[in-house]
Amino acid sequence: MDSFIVSPNGPLNGSVKISGSKNAVLPVMAAAMLSDGVSKISNVPQLKDTKTMADVLRVTGCRIKQEEHELSIDASDINYLEAPYELVKTMRASFYVLGPLVAKFGKCRVSLPGGCAWGPRPVDLHLKGLEALGAKINITHGYVEAICDGKLKGNTFSFPISSVGATANILMAATLAEGTSILQNSSVEPEITALAGYLTGMGADISGIGTRTLIVKGVEKLNPGNAPTIADRIEAGTFLAAAAITRGKVKVTDMVPEHQTALLDVFRSMGCEITTGNDWVELSAQDLKPTHITTLPYPGFPTDMQAQLMAVLATVKGASSIRDTIYNDRFKHVSELERLGAEISLKEDTALINGGSELTGAPVMASDLRASAALVLAGLVAKKHTEINRIYHLDRGYENFEGKLTTLGAKIERKID
């Protein structure tokens, strides 16, 4: 497995261009299945996850062509209504095909992601939402079988908790349902707004976009879509965090500053100097202060930036804390940061950070996508060399991460094993 060797090389400086959003493009790729023609998506990041989703669509019969960051999906000849475990187990977002397939064909069979069971998991909301639209759900041998008599039927469904994935899946399904669906307590993340905009461009009738109540009037059919992918706000935030941890000055371009309000407020509270333009943010950092963070659904502070900010705060003298209300057990990176010398203790859903200790390089292991990024950031300022193993996690969601960091002055090398 590949690894990164990261060495300290002083403050990062320069500008970096942000790629298209992984979390936005994956549901849009699934949405292309709702039409009978060739949909086109631009600004598509070249990632393991986008390749996996393309493979899932190919299994169903979609024809896919990709030239650099341009993707075309021909859904005219879908003939296999199943997403196999071998692919879905590698990426939870593969589950997005469930809603489009049952809405368009009246039946499908999709593996439970990662072998998770019916119990208290986020996948519950996907299934309950489809049941509200008239689908009959059975789970056999680790697969969800969804069937409806004729078409799905519009209905009112309120998400018990805000869920990006479930909102996306039920929204896609409702576009072809008979009648009107009212989806209450929907997620308002930019990725959901982008998906709703893409569906509207395909001919869907959706109102309330950008609010927690989406009203979807079902239509007979959808046309192929054609739209760019929005910028990846988590990638943008990660590079801003890289500037902060190295006490550098970095301009992050081709992004949407409005998507970063909560994150920028945190950086300002730490003493970072922030300048913004129409599609860029520049962060300059010198003497930083500790702070206290609570993750919340958008527009609150994103859980996907929790690990990266923890790495930054480990270098800031004083007591800081991060409470994760979204995933209260998302702290596997803590033990690896401690291997580098960070002083962090856990109390239920909160990490208590005694910042300011000098970090020293050591072999560490990435446990997930954002943990990978956090360990790279820590390696940028740790004495000697930091070897980060299992970076295949990082390759799922960051395009050319080491190349972009290198242009800013980082010293990072991919070790191919």
Side-chain angles (χ1 to χ4, degrees), residues 87-162:
L87 290 173
V88 179
K89 72 177 180 180
T90 66
M91 184 184 71
R92 286 186 70 86
S94 305
F95 206 63
Y96 281 137
V97 302
L98 181 67
L101 285 177
V102 71
K104 187 175 178 181
F105 298 101
K107 61 180 180 179
C108 66
R109 187 170 183 264
V110 178
S111 170
L112 284 163
C116 65
W118 173 269
R121 298 294 299 274
V123 73
D124 280 12
L125 303 184
H126 300 242
L127 305 184
K128 290 176 180 177
L130 288 175
E131 286 180 323
L133 298 183
K136 296 177 182 178
I137 304 292
N138 292 304
I139 298 180
T140 58
H141 305 294
Y143 278 79
V144 173
E145 295 178 349
I147 302 173
C148 66
D149 297 326
K151 284 195 166 189
L152 295 174
K153 304 295 189 295
N155 199 356
T156 297
F157 180 74
S158 181
F159 295 96
I161 60 173
S162 179

Side-chain angles (χ1 to χ4, degrees), residues 347-375:
K347 186 176 181 180
E348 297 178 348
D349 62 355
T350 302
L352 305 174
I353 305 151
N354 183 20
S357 298
E358 186 175 60
L359 303 184
T360 303
V364 291
M365 187 174 296
S367 57
D368 59 59
L369 171 58
R370 307 308 173 186
S372 306
L375 294 174

Side-chain angles (χ1 to χ4, degrees), residues 285-337:
Q286 292 184 13
D287 296 326
L288 298 185
K289 300 176 291 185
T291 193
H292 302 281
I293 300 170
T294 298
T295 70
L296 292 167
Y298 188 85
F301 185 90
T303 181
D304 277 355
M305 283 299 303
Q306 177 249 104
Q308 299 91 308
L309 262 291
M310 191 179 297
V312 177
L313 291 172
T315 70
V316 178
K317 188 175 181 178
S320 296
S321 66
I322 301 179
R323 180 185 177 214
D324 199 326
T325 67
I326 309 299
Y327 300 112
N328 56 21
D329 60 349
R330 193 180 190 179
F331 292 114
K332 291 183 179 179
H333 48 279
V334 168
S335 59
E336 299 305 296
L337 287 172

Side-chain angles (χ1 to χ4, degrees), residues 32 65 70 82 88 110 138 168 188 219 229 304 311 345 383:
K65 294 181 181 179
E70 306 291 325
E82 180 172 318
V88 179
V110 178
N138 292 304
V188 294
V219 296
T229 305
D304 277 355
S345 60
K383 290 177 61 178

Side-chain angles (χ1 to χ4, degrees), residues 151-389:
K151 284 195 166 189
L152 295 174
K153 304 295 189 295
N155 199 356
T156 297
F157 180 74
S158 181
F159 295 96
I161 60 173
S162 179
S163 167
V164 175
T167 298
N169 230 335
I170 307 311
L171 174 62
M172 289 187 282
T175 61
L176 293 181
E178 289 182 346
T180 300
S181 298
I182 301 175
L183 308 181
Q184 300 172 335
N185 196 31
S186 297
S187 293
V188 294
E189 271 75 0
E191 295 79 15
I192 293 296
T193 298
L195 173 62
Y198 192 82
L199 290 167
T200 300
M202 297 173 72
D205 188 340
I206 305 171
S207 57
I209 295 174
T211 74
R212 296 207 175 272
T213 300
L214 295 171
I215 301 172
V216 188
K217 296 180 180 178
V219 296
E220 189 66 27
K221 68 173 186 176
L222 292 178
N223 303 311
N226 189 348
T229 305
I230 62 171
D232 193 317
R233 61 192 174 102
I234 305 303
E235 183 195 8
T238 300
F239 278 102
L240 293 173
I245 199 169
T246 63
R247 309 305 192 260
K249 183 176 183 180
V250 173
K251 184 176 183 180
V252 179
T253 68
D254 294 71
M255 61 172 288
V256 184
E258 291 78 10
H259 293 170
Q260 307 285 351
T261 301
L263 176 61
L264 296 183
D265 285 346
V266 166
F267 280 130
R268 290 189 181 99
S269 75
M270 295 168 62
C272 297
E273 187 176 314
I274 304 289
T275 309
T276 64
N278 289 334
D279 64 349
W280 57 269
V281 172
E282 186 174 74
L283 183 147
S284 178
Q286 292 184 13
D287 296 326
L288 298 185
K289 300 176 291 185
T291 193
H292 302 281
I293 300 170
T294 298
T295 70
L296 292 167
Y298 188 85
F301 185 90
T303 181
D304 277 355
M305 283 299 303
Q306 177 249 104
Q308 299 91 308
L309 262 291
M310 191 179 297
V312 177
L313 291 172
T315 70
V316 178
K317 188 175 181 178
S320 296
S321 66
I322 301 179
R323 180 185 177 214
D324 199 326
T325 67
I326 309 299
Y327 300 112
N328 56 21
D329 60 349
R330 193 180 190 179
F331 292 114
K332 291 183 179 179
H333 48 279
V334 168
S335 59
E336 299 305 296
L337 287 172
E338 288 179 322
R339 286 176 60 83
L340 300 177
E343 294 185 26
I344 306 169
S345 60
L346 294 177
K347 186 176 181 180
E348 297 178 348
D349 62 355
T350 302
L352 305 174
I353 305 151
N354 183 20
S357 298
E358 186 175 60
L359 303 184
T360 303
V364 291
M365 187 174 296
S367 57
D368 59 59
L369 171 58
R370 307 308 173 186
S372 306
L375 294 174
V376 171
L377 298 189
L380 294 174
V381 295
K383 290 177 61 178
K384 301 182 180 179
H385 305 300
T386 301
E387 181 173 359
I388 303 155
N389 296 290

